[in-house]
Amino acid sequence: MTALREILLRRIAATGPIGIADYMTECLLHPVHGYYTTRDPLGTGGDFTTAPEISQMFGELIGLALAQAWLEQGAPAPFALVEPGPGRGTLMADMLRATARVPGFHAALQLHLVEASPTLRAAQAERLPDATWHDRLDQIPDDLPLFLVANEFFDALPIRQFIRDGSGWRERVIGRDGDRLVFGLTAPAPLTQLEHRLADTVDGDMVEISPALPALVGEIGARIAENGGAALIVDYGGRGTTGDSFQAVQGHRKVDPLDAPGAADLTAHVDFDALARAAAPAACAGPVPQGVFLERLGITPRAQALAARLEGAALDRHVAAHRRLTHPEEMGDLFKVAALHPCNAPPPPGFET
């Protein structure tokens, strides 16, 4: 039993069941026992591996796409280059290396990272010593063009789950049964923010919402609409989906999300329809499958160029990395990419129709 489970059991005994959003917040960000505040979760020694850790090609292509968007908007200077949830800093380091020869790009950028984990901030500082760190997105200067990348950031935002019951909704909550955490349901009630889902759901369907997503995406969209810029958002999810996507990962395998609070990563699929609605007044392009996006950016020619210098086991790993990033049965279809951009500017490369 984790220390955080004991805390949660006592809280539930005192005040009643808690929502999944509260549970995720405690598990991920508790100041003493939170998952992200106590460890580096990435890599083979951690609990999961993200695309930048799989291959340098991912960050290179993302960086060049944002640099092209910057050039197409007149190469504004200065501008804010931002990444929320930057992991170990691998993605941004690859982006900066790939864009080093874009004339004026590095001279104009101000690097800002949004990170809550002290452990990960330390890892990021080793790769990105010139960055400025923030606890929240709204702490970044708001008078600069904003060029942002968010890879597997929105999937970690806390969610609420609702099950349709007639014209109302029952919220899924977490209670206790002895020393076990268990799921339960509230009584049905109308919910204004889910009225639009009555048209595409039936009784028993589960719908998830992320309470924090509209404000975060709205902040990004408003800044891009006002000052220029672009955002590339990469995550797993879909458009207006139903069903239970709440999951926990520990040691690179799925586990029960209630078993070890604070010791496993908790995520949920991103609703890209909700993301697009929240982006206004900026435009939203996509989402497109990650594999399609990377192919449009030229990942296969880049992979072939790198492969020419490799052999043996290194070549095998490189080929496997290309497949993992792009193949529909791996990350190619599950992960999607959306772009926010000013209505009077084209989207970044990769979103052509």
Side-chain angles (χ1 to χ4, degrees):
M1 180 178 294
T2 64
L4 184 56
R5 184 160 74 167
E6 283 287 345
I7 293 170
L8 292 169
L9 288 169
R10 290 197 299 270
R11 174 182 168 183
I12 291 168
T15 62
I18 61 175
I20 292 175
D22 286 345
Y23 178 76
M24 289 183 70
T25 299
E26 290 292 331
C27 289
L28 298 178
L29 298 175
H30 187 281
V32 178
H33 305 295
Y35 180 77
Y36 286 124
T37 54
T38 58
R39 72 198 69 212
D40 177 352
L42 294 161
T44 56
D47 293 315
F48 58 89
T49 301
T50 60
E53 305 289 334
I54 293 169
S55 171
Q56 68 186 66
M57 297 183 291
F58 182 81
E60 291 171 348
L61 295 172
I62 292 285
L64 291 172
L66 277 184
Q68 183 62 38
W70 175 75
L71 289 170
E72 290 176 350
Q73 293 184 35
F79 72 92
L81 180 61
V82 176
E83 184 179 5
R88 293 175 174 168
T90 305
L91 171 57
M92 185 58 69
D94 289 340
M95 290 172 58
L96 292 176
R97 186 184 64 257
T99 56
R101 295 185 181 180
V102 178
F105 188 74
H106 281 210
L109 71 84
Q110 297 179 6
L111 182 57
H112 297 271
L113 304 177
V114 181
E115 179 57 68
S117 166
T119 302
L120 290 176
R121 279 196 185 194
Q124 294 155 16
E126 294 181 7
R127 291 178 170 87
L128 306 164
D130 296 327
T132 299
W133 280 265
H134 307 273
D135 294 319
R136 303 186 314 275
L137 185 68
D138 61 10
Q139 295 173 335
I140 295 168
D142 61 2
D143 57 349
L144 298 176
L146 174 66
F147 289 83
L148 177 145
V149 59
N151 179 62
E152 292 198 54
F153 172 75
F154 287 98
D155 65 89
L157 294 182
I159 62 160
R160 298 173 70 186
Q161 292 183 322
F162 296 90
I163 296 175
R164 182 171 171 181
D165 187 333
S167 60
W169 301 88
R170 298 162 65 94
E171 183 167 9
R172 197 182 192 200
V173 293
I174 298 170
R176 63 175 293 169
D177 179 9
D179 63 355
R180 295 172 55 243
L181 294 167
V182 295
F183 287 114
L185 293 172
T186 64
L191 195 65
T192 301
Q193 62 197 121
L194 284 180
E195 283 184 357
H196 67 287
R197 297 307 305 271
L198 293 176
D200 65 354
T201 58
V202 298
D203 276 9
D205 280 351
M206 177 179 285
V207 172
E208 298 174 336
I209 62 173
S210 171
L213 184 145
L216 279 171
V217 176
E219 174 86 12
I220 296 167
R223 291 190 182 203
I224 288 173
E226 181 175 353
N227 300 319
L232 289 174
I233 297 169
V234 187
D235 231 311
Y236 52 87
R239 305 183 64 174
T241 56
T242 59
D244 180 8
S245 74
F246 181 43
Q247 67 176 15
V249 174
Q250 189 177 36
H252 297 269
R253 64 183 182 89
K254 291 184 178 181
V255 297
D256 187 321
L258 303 186
D259 269 359
D265 185 37
L266 300 178
T267 63
H269 285 202
V270 175
D271 181 351
F272 281 92
D273 279 349
L275 190 149
R277 289 193 299 270
C284 181
V288 299
Q290 176 178 290
V292 172
F293 177 73
L294 293 175
E295 290 293 355
R296 288 174 176 175
L297 295 183
I299 191 171
T300 294
R302 176 57 175 156
Q304 291 168 341
L306 291 172
R309 303 196 297 267
L310 301 173
E311 59 184 18
L315 177 59
D316 293 340
R317 288 192 297 270
H318 174 65
V319 171
H322 175 266
R323 175 184 171 85
R324 187 171 177 187
L325 290 175
T326 61
H327 197 278
E329 294 182 1
E330 305 243 7
M331 298 175 72
D333 274 358
L334 175 62
F335 282 76
K336 309 293 193 302
V337 188
L340 310 187
H341 60 96
C343 292
N344 61 355
F351 294 91
E352 53 270 20
T353 57

